[in-house]
Amino acid sequence: MNPAGKPRRAASGVRKTAGVPQARLFERLGLHTPADFVTHLPLRYEDETRITPIGDARPGEHALFEGEIVDSEIRFGPRRTLQATLADDSGRLGLRWLHVYPGQQARLHAGRRVRARGEVRAGFHGLEIVHPLITEPGTPLPDALTPVYPTTQGLPQAALRKAIARALDEADLRDTLPAEVRQAYGLADFEPSLRLLHRPGPDISLELLAEHRHPAWRRIKFDELLAQQLALADARAARRAQAARSLRGNGSLTGRLLAALPFEPTGAQLRAVAQIGEDLARTHPMHRLLQGDVGSGKTLVAALAAAQAIEAGAQVAVMAPTEILAEQLWRKLSEWLQPLGVTAVWLTGGLPAAERRRALQAMASGEARLAVGTQALIQDKVEFESLGLVISDEQHRFGVGQRLALNRKGDQAKYRPHQLSMSATPIPRTLAMAFFADMDVSVLDELPPGRVPVRTRLFDDRRRDEVLARVGEVVRAGRQAYWVCPLVEESEALQLQTAVDTHELLRAALPDLRVGLMHGRLPAQEKAAVMDAFRAGDIDLLVATTVIEVGVDVPNAGLMVIEHAERFGLAQLHQLRGRVGRGGGEATCVLLYQPPLSAVARERLRAMYETTDGFEIARRDLAQRGPGELLGLRQSGQALLRFADLESDEDLLEQAREAAARLSADFPEHARAHRQRWMAGADQYLRS
Ligand SMILES: Nc1ncnc2c1ncn2[C@@H]1O[C@H](COP(=O)(O)OP(=O)(O)OP(=O)(O)O)[C@@H](O)[C@H]1O
């Protein structure tokens, strides 16, 4: 009840929008402090300052039109829609509503003059606006562009504009960059830039603002990148302040491992090993990312790093995100290190309880010097007698946020282990600079000798029979093949079913082949048994889901068929293709696609066809999907950068990095204020 007849307010006195307190909606956008509000910048601008002649309407543009309604009718289809036509001297434009409200048609009767605003799109019968905003002709037009802010459901633009206007009065808008830094990089001042972006004056061009090319945007993008660089530099400094045991090798194990190898390490492998070796000898923890293209030989680098740590008296833990990957690492590492007298244990969910207990005990007592397993197993349960090095595969993907948060946590233990992360996806330079600047990076940019680039062929699904014949040929020639099942992202159950069906179909189509099946839902032991059989040559054709994406290493595999290749991402296709051609000899990857292809899918398949260079693939992937996808952060919804764009702002990123060093060294107070202004939102994210 509302006896006083006053407008309803929430008990707290906070305004409500559609039942949810406005403060909560602001929080949903990460807006807490005045600094958050003032740095919540428009997504785009609408030009309501002038009326566009209908003849100048362009699809994709927001515009305001004025004219006469020449017809309007209600159409009856699956639902009732209202369709009207607006005309002026220069042309005609469709107006369409997908819901019809009582009296709506009457208001839009033929002969009435109205204004209509909205986004023009190419409709079935010509250009149209769906759900236009209708206003009366004759109302005065604003004299400047209207900002449109990113918002959340239930929060109107007007409320955001008001809150931001208030924050602009309250917030501390002092420049966090000293004049000489602004000058050095030709940057506009902060406050005028910010005010301009929120309230562009009458003389500002929409194009400059829309494309983020205005100097005001340049300043904001610089500030964003600078804040990130400062945070990463802080994380790095914090790590340097921590203590680690110096693990200086004496060659007793590494030397024997090198001598026992059946091949010569590549120059790139030796360089990476030397860099890691120096890091391990230091008294602060290493935090290094080892990146290399598929098949570049990261496992050997990991083995040599582990050997150095072990010969220096430390224990080593090796973790991988999946069982298959962990198993693969275990196989190689134990094969290399156990004959040299290193006691190693394997930890997995499938291990019988007694064996598992024994393994854990061996780690705790220090009897075992090396443990390999999946991440969860090693992180949660295992106690080590003297853990000195943690090697993790693909762990860097779990987010910049988490990494920074981890680094900031104080540590109770006296010593922290050295850390080596391995990435099978080459990370483009800009991405590395923007997100991994707190880590050191080693790159394996050289493949072991004798590798022939995998030949990639594109086949329309209608030529499937030819592909099947090809599989038969390859197997008769003594090689093995993979068949990757179509990706069904929406449902795991459907994905599984697809794998089972594909397996059946291929068995029927190729009756003289031994066809195996591998998918994520198989019990761990069965997975291992299938991989063993494939490795031993007892399976000719392995039908698999993307569980085989990374790390699987069966040198005799010479053909890979990827079904519905158009559904896979570029990095994923590249990883999959990397499973063949690992043992020398010719190898082919067949991308089977279902036409018609979307433009993006076509671009992706073309990239696969044109290059086998992982760095080039990663660069194109970044351009297509953006950094969030590439770093596997899609699910987290974490906005990595709000304003800057790694593709087009590479020079700015370079400058921001330089400026971060200068600010930290010469203007620590400014650096602190800058981080505070820009990282409030990010900190919020880190805490959640
Ligand atoms: N220097 C070398 N000379 C010849 N063969 C090598 C060399 N280094 C590694 N190899 C072999 O090359 C294959 C690929 O190595 P590894 O599995 O370490 O690759 P990777 O970098 O982990 O690749 P991916 O990310 O694709 O799994 C293995 O069979 C490995 O034994």
Side-chain angles (χ1 to χ4, degrees), residues 121-161:
R121 11 182 280 182
F124 197 63
H125 300 289
L127 293 184
E128 63 171 6
I129 302 180
V130 177
H131 290 181
L133 195 77
I134 300 292
T135 48
E136 293 295 324
T139 21
L141 296 171
D143 63 354
L145 297 172
T146 313
V148 180
Y149 293 97
T151 185
T152 178
Q153 199 181 359
L155 188 62
Q157 287 292 322
L160 261 173
R161 279 186 205 136

Side-chain angles (χ1 to χ4, degrees), residues 430-451:
T430 47
L431 203 59
M433 232 162 41
F435 298 109
F436 298 103
D438 59 325
M439 302 171 95
D440 297 302
V441 179
S442 296
V443 180
L444 297 184
D445 50 6
E446 184 183 345
L447 292 178
R451 296 273 170 86

Side-chain angles (χ1 to χ4, degrees), residues 58 65 131 161 180 344 352 367 422 491 545 687:
R58 296 285 169 269
F65 303 96
H131 290 181
R161 279 186 205 136
E180 61 171 277
E367 177 200 343
M422 300 198 284
S491 148
T545 58
R687 277 197 298 275

Side-chain angles (χ1 to χ4, degrees), residues 287-537:
H287 202 35
R288 187 172 281 276
L289 178 67
L290 172 64
Q291 50 165 321
D293 205 344
V294 288
S296 57
K298 291 181 286 293
T299 321
L300 176 64
V301 177
L304 284 162
Q308 175 173 337
I310 293 168
E311 72 191 14
Q315 285 175 300
V316 176
V318 180
M319 325 194 284
T322 67
E323 295 242 347
I324 296 192
L325 211 52
E327 150 99 47
Q328 202 80 33
L329 283 167
W330 164 248
R331 183 176 298 276
K332 276 268 155 71
L333 294 177
S334 59
E335 179 190 310
W336 282 330
L337 293 170
Q338 272 178 331
L340 305 178
V342 174
T343 310
V345 292
W346 162 239
L347 279 167
T348 156
L351 224 53
E355 255 179 71
R356 183 174 157 70
R357 220 174 14 251
R358 257 202 309 280
L360 291 178
Q361 225 251 314
M363 292 316 295
S365 71
E367 177 200 343
R369 307 314 290 169
L370 171 71
V372 183
T374 48
Q375 251 126 14
L377 281 167
I378 291 193
Q379 279 166 346
D380 300 345
K381 312 264 168 53
V382 182
E383 273 179 38
F384 290 87
E385 180 240 359
S386 54
L387 182 64
L389 169 65
V390 176
I391 301 176
S392 51
D393 216 359
E394 298 293 305
Q395 208 203 3
H396 62 285
R397 286 178 165 246
F398 301 128
V400 191
Q402 277 179 17
R403 217 172 55 235
L404 296 184
L406 270 178
N407 270 318
R408 245 183 274 175
K409 259 191 218 155
D411 190 32
Q412 281 78 20
K414 185 165 171 224
Y415 291 121
R416 309 206 72 183
H418 296 279
Q419 286 186 47
L420 178 66
S421 304
M422 300 198 284
S423 164
T425 315
I427 298 166
R429 207 179 79 88
T430 47
L431 203 59
M433 232 162 41
F435 298 109
F436 298 103
D438 59 325
M439 302 171 95
D440 297 302
V441 179
S442 296
V443 180
L444 297 184
D445 50 6
E446 184 183 345
L447 292 178
R451 296 273 170 86
V452 186
V454 179
R455 244 185 339 146
T456 302
R457 316 248 341 242
L458 269 61
F459 274 84
D460 185 320
D461 195 53
R462 285 170 295 211
R463 293 172 61 196
R464 213 182 160 80
D465 286 348
E466 287 172 52
V467 176
L468 286 170
R470 184 66 188 264
V471 174
E473 274 166 36
V474 165
V475 170
R476 274 191 293 280
R479 306 288 299 273
Q480 289 161 282
Y482 295 98
W483 190 291
V484 179
C485 300
L487 191 67
V488 188
E489 275 201 333
E490 306 81 49
S491 148
E492 207 191 326
L494 219 57
Q495 170 82 67
L496 186 64
Q497 192 54 46
T498 313
V500 173
D501 293 349
T502 311
H503 178 232
E504 280 311 311
L505 282 171
L506 288 170
R507 262 187 9 167
L510 299 162
D512 52 338
L513 262 54
R514 294 165 298 171
V515 186
L517 173 62
M518 167 69 102
H519 59 72
R521 278 302 183 85
L522 284 183
Q525 271 137 323
E526 238 175 279
K527 265 188 218 158
V530 173
M531 272 330 285
D532 281 345
F534 190 56
R535 202 173 287 113

Side-chain angles (χ1 to χ4, degrees), residues 33 58 88 95 114 158 203 206 236 259 268 274 284 292 324 352 366 403 408 417 437 459 475 479 489 518 559-560 651:
T33 65
R58 296 285 169 269
D88 68 6
L95 304 178
V114 292
D203 50 342
L206 183 60
R236 180 190 275 267
H284 59 78
I324 296 192
R403 217 172 55 235
R408 245 183 274 175
F459 274 84
V475 170
R479 306 288 299 273
E489 275 201 333
M518 167 69 102
L559 172 68
M560 165 162 291
D651 57 331

